[in-house]
Amino acid sequence: MAKLDIITLPDRKLRMKSEPVERIDGELLKLMDDMLETMYAAPGIGLAGIQVNVPRRVVTIDVAKREDDEASPDPLFLINPEILWTSDDTAVAEEGCLSIPEYFAEVERPAKVRVAYLDRQGARQEIEAEGVLAICLQHEIDHVDGKLFIDHLSKLKRDMVVKKFTKIARLGPKPAAL
Ligand SMILES: [Zn+2]
């Protein structure tokens, strides 16, 4: 496995709509293994292909550690994930994103979701989720459609974040501390 580079705001590729996966082959499985390793190392609980510069509809998720530090890894690999249903009741939770480092904000989303996807063997699966997993699924499926969690904030807040990251990118890497 190999750790991949995560692209960050204001990289315009984050706005790309990813392409559906048509064939699950060794290359795709390796990509997902590398994504999982990259996600654990970051550390994060979810990662979409486009965040490692691959515009394909693949997502890795593991919320086990987030809920219980002692828990063993429980990775989910989702190929071509699709939201089938969302609840009318909503929940507000603080979100962050590996592509928008060190920025957190409260986002309101449907509290429960049902998602269909293909697993690593190409079998169709359905999952119904609430809590952190429901948030994570919606956040990652937004990514494959070129959406970011800041799109759920007010325009004023969103513009401020984009401006901040554009400015940081223009300044380039921070000089080494003396
Ligand atoms: Zn994200």
Side-chain angles (χ1 to χ4, degrees):
M1 289 201 276
K3 239 179 78 188
L4 307 168
D5 287 331
I6 296 176
I7 61 172
T8 56
L9 212 64
D11 195 319
R12 296 185 65 84
K13 283 190 280 279
L14 289 168
R15 293 307 190 175
M16 277 176 75
K17 213 172 141 86
S18 295
E19 292 290 326
V21 170
E22 273 163 15
R23 199 161 54 100
I24 299 168
D25 54 14
E27 192 194 334
L28 187 86
L29 296 177
K30 180 173 188 313
L31 168 68
M32 288 196 297
D33 288 338
D34 290 346
M35 282 172 59
L36 190 73
E37 189 185 343
T38 305
M39 181 186 92
Y40 283 146
I45 58 168
L47 192 68
I50 191 61
Q51 292 182 273
V52 291
N53 219 348
V54 181
R56 303 179 76 185
R57 302 179 84 84
V58 287
V59 164
T60 56
I61 288 177
D62 192 341
V63 298
K65 293 261 176 210
R66 157 100 174 221
E67 277 159 351
D68 175 5
D69 225 25
E70 300 290 298
S72 17
D74 186 17
L76 246 175
F77 298 94
L78 302 101
I79 301 165
N80 298 343
E82 180 191 351
I83 292 179
L84 299 174
W85 168 85
T86 55
S87 62
D88 290 333
D89 55 316
T90 59
V92 176
E94 189 166 75
E95 287 184 35
C97 179
L98 295 175
S99 294
I100 311 174
E102 289 162 47
Y103 178 77
F104 302 90
E106 289 198 326
V107 176
E108 184 177 13
R109 297 183 187 268
K112 293 181 194 146
V113 287
R114 189 159 61 239
V115 170
Y117 64 96
L118 299 178
D119 65 18
R120 291 171 69 102
Q121 283 74 41
R124 188 178 186 276
Q125 305 286 349
E126 274 188 28
I127 184 175
E128 197 162 311
E130 57 186 326
V132 180
L133 182 56
I135 294 164
C136 194
L137 284 164
Q138 293 176 77
H139 180 118
E140 302 311 327
I141 293 172
D142 272 356
H143 272 303
V144 300
D145 284 322
K147 275 162 68 180
L148 298 169
F149 84 94
I150 53 172
D151 298 351
H152 298 275
L153 308 177
S154 69
K155 187 178 182 312
L156 185 74
K157 271 193 188 166
R158 182 167 63 248
D159 288 348
M160 269 169 53
V161 180
V162 174
K163 216 167 129 184
K164 184 180 148 205
F165 278 84
T166 307
K167 200 169 149 191
I168 292 170
R170 210 184 301 132
L171 291 173
K174 281 190 202 125
L178 294 172

